[in-house]
Amino acid sequence: MVEGVLHPDAVRLGREAARRLALSGICEVRPGLTDREFAWIEIEYGIEFADDHRAFLAAGLPVNSARPEEGATWERPWPDWRDGEEEELRLHLEWPVREVLNDVQRGAWLRSWGAPPENSAEALRIAGQELARAPKLIPLYGHRFLPGGRGTYGSQVLSIWGTDIISYGRDLAEYVTNDFYPRDDDAGLWGKGAAVSVWGEFLQKKSTESG
């Protein structure tokens, strides 16, 4: 279905991620989204899936079949693009910007934005403008996000918790392995993928502060 419109490497990457997720047994996977469903979702929510993300969801749609653990941040961490509630999906899409702006109110700032204003309202205005120019982040699972964009693929997956942003895999397939398969406690840090405009600056800032 997707080979005619997506880059073959994106299709392979998305399908490999879907294969790894299905083998993990971590969740139920229902039939993938159709071209018609993708078209409606992108228009309704003003987004564009990256090609590998689209291939991943075309291969199978992960659903929230397990009851959340007590105190879990996300009651339904998998975005249900087919049957989910509109308000819930919009809140999920707004999470990255909303959370970063919350931290800006507490004094967080990127050097590339210029000198931080003394006025909190002005800081929020500038930060909001900068984030509006950043790549739109599309939810994968909970607070894990993949940059969107038609014709793009192979971006790293980002975990967004305010300005505490870390890479959860250099690409979509690696992310699935990192998040849903057992990991050796002695393993090194996960490799970062291609740089992501604006959002990636928080990664660099955190690396600099910890160095």
Side-chain angles (χ1 to χ4, degrees):
M1 178 185 68
V2 295
E3 285 87 348
V5 294
L6 305 182
H7 193 285
D9 289 343
V11 173
R12 284 192 288 270
L13 181 55
R15 287 183 172 175
E16 175 59 20
R19 184 188 73 84
R20 294 184 190 185
L21 182 65
L23 288 174
S24 76
I26 198 70
C27 66
E28 179 185 351
V29 180
R30 292 182 178 168
L33 298 176
T34 66
D35 284 345
R36 185 186 296 270
E37 287 175 314
F38 277 115
W40 182 86
I41 293 163
E42 291 187 329
I43 292 172
E44 180 69 16
Y45 295 100
I47 61 175
E48 289 184 348
F49 290 100
D51 285 5
D52 49 352
H53 196 172
R54 184 180 175 115
F56 172 73
L57 295 172
L61 180 67
V63 295
N64 303 290
S65 54
R67 294 184 62 182
E69 297 179 2
E70 185 176 352
T73 303
W74 297 85
E75 184 177 348
R76 288 179 287 273
W78 294 106
D80 187 347
W81 298 108
R82 177 176 287 131
D83 298 317
E85 296 180 4
E86 178 183 346
E87 182 179 3
E88 186 174 27
L89 287 169
R90 291 194 186 280
L91 286 172
H92 210 159
L93 283 162
E94 293 165 2
W95 169 275
V97 171
R98 185 174 67 247
E99 289 295 301
V100 167
L101 290 180
N102 284 341
D103 275 6
V104 168
Q105 283 188 302
R106 303 183 187 102
W109 196 255
L110 285 179
R111 185 177 300 175
S112 64
W113 295 347
E118 295 182 5
N119 182 284
S120 176
E122 180 65 7
L124 286 172
R125 185 190 68 80
I126 294 173
Q129 288 181 338
E130 295 293 337
L131 292 171
R133 289 194 283 265
K136 182 79 171 181
L137 297 183
I138 313 300
L140 276 171
Y141 175 82
H143 52 279
R144 319 287 196 242
F145 291 79
L146 188 68
R150 192 82 49 78
T152 66
Y153 67 93
S155 293
Q156 62 182 310
V157 173
L158 299 176
S159 175
I160 311 290
W161 196 270
T163 54
D164 184 6
I165 298 177
I166 62 175
S167 176
Y168 248 71
R170 70 186 70 204
D171 60 36
L172 182 54
E174 186 177 275
Y175 156 72
V176 171
T177 298
N178 288 344
D179 218 1
F180 302 115
Y181 281 77
R183 177 173 163 80
D184 184 351
D185 290 339
D186 295 328
L189 294 174
W190 295 328
K192 298 182 179 67
V196 181
S197 176
V198 181
W199 305 105
E201 293 182 51
F202 290 104
L203 288 170
Q204 297 169 11
K205 184 174 186 291
K206 185 173 182 180
S207 176
T208 300
E209 291 174 345
S210 61

